[in-house]
């Protein structure tokens, strides 16, 4: 797990060996302890180099070990022993030095990095802090402001930035281990007094209290209830104000709280869930590891509304040639300008040249004849999409993959309009498509494994968390969202206000409550979807029937606001009021409050007190119950798929793991009992009735989330 060789006569070379990222598992730590000791006790050896095999220095502590009975030598004394060594130890950083990997490097006396290496302390993203001395050494090395930035965000820096910050001593474009060995030979025998970072005083900082107060306020605001970023600030404060040994005590204390927290569990679950969704499988047995993606060099986007423009940008930024097609000339001109603007702004942010020449524009669908893949993003209307799919089938070269960006329509129906339904999949992007990290890849009943593999691979190339899901109305994300939105409206009918509902959800950790979100996306959007479903009836109908549609409870509140021209942000009025169209500051609107009172009076509804707990239970448990239905129906392969969709596409707070993980944390029996309670109180809302799968899981003793698959399999085999 750590190989030892002597090179160039006088250098002990230690190579970490634990693929794929040389994580510091117990055998690796043992290997480091043993080989360092060997090098230090060998009189021939004048200096030591530590590197990682396969061009990767180290990805940090082994996350898989967390939550298990940890054994083997602990990291802190191991790193102290390296720092205290009387022979120079040089870290040769290739690939990555992250978390404990960078902490190991900070314990070394010198650091040499390859120009393509990335370094960082991403522990905060796992609900932790750099607790192998990282929170104490980094501020001493690069100063408090820069260390705070890196530790509280977990961002990775390039080798160039690391050099500028003073994290590394040298950057090379050549063989890093060779450069480190050469360097080690040169510094062998030199004094190490000035090279032990733990002995450095923290660089002086004027008005330290004000700095920490300011940072803490910002961190609390952006953390939305996550505790690790706050602990990171506290740990760095200890580095700035306490001697090293006391700072280490504080680091340990803070880590102890974080390490066993539910938030750390949730964030580590998210880390693995994000990777697990890449190992997709379909109910027919097709899988990620047996399905070969097709090469995609040239793609087309049909329809250049908001979604089409974002998709065009995302594809071009991935390096593909893109043909962007829009039949309306005015819309095409506007889109061209908007896409160029997005590409230029994105390029400026990343410090690269914009890739405007990768895109060609056309009004004629014939222009897509030679592309490998098309993404249709026209208006959400089945008749229109059907027409486009028929045209594409006639125009495209054989084998072209036809993808639809529909957010809810039937992928199978569209596929049936083409002679090759196996080449049709959904690629459901989320607005803005070049920014949002989620992609639902929707397979129809006849989609080929190659088509799914190609869409999944393209999603990955675009930097999206891509999740393969089955075909049903709304797929996974929007199918669950519908019930969440409905419950929020029902709560208004029963006595809540938009402020109360949003307050509860934002306190839970959503960046935006449901009504602020609705104002942002536009009440007209939701109205159009409900109209398409045949749910909208115009006018202020009164009486019970106005609140029953298609045989179950319905709230026409959103429709009534829409009829008043209150579309949300774009009209400065919606569930809230705004100073001007587009303003993000939502202010309470007395009109909405009187409107709600009149509405309740008209329908004979008596307002009652509703607390935050009820808001959360009604909105979240309804959504979670639908998640169980989705698992039962085989639309999502596992709870991780649902959770990744919600964390990446719907603002579910990552430190709460996702809706299904949250249900597991709350306790399945409790979720079921609450659903039963609310269903009894609202028998006209059938979806509050606990799903079969939830009942089965509770009956099986509420097994932990990673074992739900067994119960789901059993349920499917009984069907
Ligand atoms: C820490 O260090 C705490 C310390 O302060 C000490 C406290 C006392 N452990 O992402 P990929 C697996 S906390 C175990 O697909 P990429 C990963 O699950 C740690 N496994 O590849 C996957 O497995 P599988 C701080 C790990 O090239 C495989 O490696 N460190 C670890 O896109 C490939 O991963 C971090 O937070 C690990 N540390 O990205 C770094 N890392 O194939 C976390 C990865 O079975 N890691 N695996 O699905 C990453 O950010 C990315 O994995 C990395 C590679 C950038 C390294």
């Amino acid at each position: 797990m750590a190989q030892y060789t002597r090179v160039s006569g006088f250098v002990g070379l230690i190579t970490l060996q634990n693929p794929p990222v040389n994580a510091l598992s117990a055998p690796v730590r043992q290997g480091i302890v043993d080989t360092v000791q060997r090098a230090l006790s060998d009189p021939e050896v004048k200096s030591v180099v530590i590197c990682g095999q396969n061009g990767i220095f180290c990805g940090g502590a082994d996350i898989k070990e967390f939550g298990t009975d940890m054994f083997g030598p602990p990291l802190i004394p191991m790193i102290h022993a390296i720092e205290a060594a009387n022979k120079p130890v040089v870290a040769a950083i290739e690939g990555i030095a992250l978390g404990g990997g960078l902490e190991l490097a900070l314990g070394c006396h010198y650091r040499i990095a390859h120009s393509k290496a990335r370094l960082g302390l991403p522990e905060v993203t796992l609900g932790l802090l750099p607790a192998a001395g990282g929170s104490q050494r980094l501020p001493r090395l690069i100063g408090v402001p820069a260390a705070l930035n890196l530790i509280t965000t977990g961002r990775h820096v390039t080798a160039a930035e690391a050099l500028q910050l003073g994290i590394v001593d040298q950057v090379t474009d050549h063989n890093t281990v060779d450069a480190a060995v050469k360097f080690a030979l040169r510094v062998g025998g030199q004094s190490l007094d000035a090279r032990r970072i733990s002995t450095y005083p923290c660089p002086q900082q004027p008005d330290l209290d004000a700095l920490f107060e300011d940072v803490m306020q910002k961190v609390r605001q952006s953390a939305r209830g996550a505790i690790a970023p706050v602990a990171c600030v506290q740990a760095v404060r200890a580095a700035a104000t306490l001697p090293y040994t006391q700072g280490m005590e504080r680091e340990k204390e803070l880590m102890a709280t974080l390490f066993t927290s539910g938030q750390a569990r949730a964030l580590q679950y998210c880390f693995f869930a994000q990777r697990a969704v890449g190992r997709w499988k379909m109910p027919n047995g097709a899988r990620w590891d047996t399905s070969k993606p097709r090469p995609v060099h040239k793609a087309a986007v049909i329809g250049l509304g908001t979604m089409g423009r974002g998709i065009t940008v995302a594809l071009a930024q991935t390096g593909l040639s893109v043909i962007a097609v829009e039949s309306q000339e005015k819309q095409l001109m506007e889109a061209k300008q908007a896409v160029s603007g997005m590409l230029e702004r994105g390029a400026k942010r990343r410090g690269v040249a914009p890739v405007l020449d990768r895109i060609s524009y056309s009004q004629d669908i014939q222009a897509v004849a030679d592309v490998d893949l098309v993404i249709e993003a026209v208006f959400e209307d089945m008749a229109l999409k059907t027409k486009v799919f028929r045209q594409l089938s006639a125009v495209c070269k054989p084998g072209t993959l036809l993808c639809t960006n529909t957010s809810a329509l039937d992928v199978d129906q569209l596929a049936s309009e083409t002679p090759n339904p196996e080449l049709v999949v959904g690629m459901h992007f989320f607005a803005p498509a070049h920014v949002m990290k989620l992609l639902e890849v929707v397979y129809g009943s006849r989609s080929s494994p190659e088509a799914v593999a190609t869409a999944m691979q393209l999603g990955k190339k675009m930097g999206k968390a891509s999740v393969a899901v089955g075909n049903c109305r709304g797929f996974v994300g929007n199918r669950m969202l519908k019930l969440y939105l409905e419950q929020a409206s029902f709560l208004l009918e029963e006595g809540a206000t938009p402020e109360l509902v949003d307050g509860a959800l934002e306190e839970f950790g959503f960046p935006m409550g449901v009504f602020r979100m609705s104002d942002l996306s536009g009440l007209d959007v939701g109205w159009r979807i409900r109209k398409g479903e045949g749910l909208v009836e115009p006018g202020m109908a009164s009486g019970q029937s106005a609140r029953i549609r298609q045989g179950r409870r319905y709230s026409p509140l959103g429709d009534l606001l829409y009829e008043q021209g209150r579309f949300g942000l774009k009209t400065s009025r919606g569930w809230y009021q705004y100073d001007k169209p587009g303003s993000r500051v939502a202010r309470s609107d007395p009109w909405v409050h009187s409107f709600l009172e009149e509405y309740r009076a008209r329908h004979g509804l008596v307002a009652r007190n509703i607390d935050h707990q009820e808001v959360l239970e009604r909105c979240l448990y309804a959504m979670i119950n639908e998640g169980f239905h989705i698992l039962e129906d085989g639309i999502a392969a596992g709870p991780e798929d649902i959770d990744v969709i919600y964390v990446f596409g719907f603002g579910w707070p990552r430190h709460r793991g996702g809706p299904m993980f949250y249900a597991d944390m709350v306790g399945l029996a409790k979720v079921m009992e609450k659903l039963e309670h609310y269903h009894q109180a609202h028998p006209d809302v059938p979806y509050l009735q606990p799903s079969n799968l939830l009942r089965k899981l509770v009956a099986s003793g509420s097994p932990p989330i990673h074992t739900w698959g067994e119960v789901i399999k059993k349920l499917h085999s009984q069907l």
Side-chain angles (χ1 to χ4, degrees), residues 20-21 59 61-63 96 100 103 122-123 126 130-131 271-272 275 279:
V21 300
D62 187 343
I63 308 167
I96 48 161
E103 291 177 296
E123 286 86 343
L126 299 168
F271 176 85
F272 290 115
R275 280 144 188 90
R279 296 187 282 269

Side-chain angles (χ1 to χ4, degrees), residues 74-156:
L75 270 180
I76 293 176
M78 181 193 97
I79 294 172
H80 273 150
I82 292 170
E83 192 187 57
N86 54 8
K87 296 177 187 177
V89 184
V90 183
I93 301 172
E94 293 175 305
I96 48 161
L98 297 176
L102 180 54
E103 291 177 296
L104 168 65
L106 291 175
C108 297
H109 306 108
Y110 300 93
R111 286 155 294 281
I112 296 187
H114 189 266
S115 53
K116 294 216 167 92
R118 283 181 298 137
L119 300 87
L121 293 174
E123 286 86 343
V124 69
T125 63
L126 299 168
L128 305 174
L129 61 84
S135 75
Q136 303 305 299
R137 282 197 180 89
L138 194 65
R140 284 177 162 78
L141 184 63
I142 66 170
V144 168
L148 274 171
N149 173 276
L150 258 63
I151 293 174
T152 59
T153 61
R155 80 180 173 92
H156 301 179

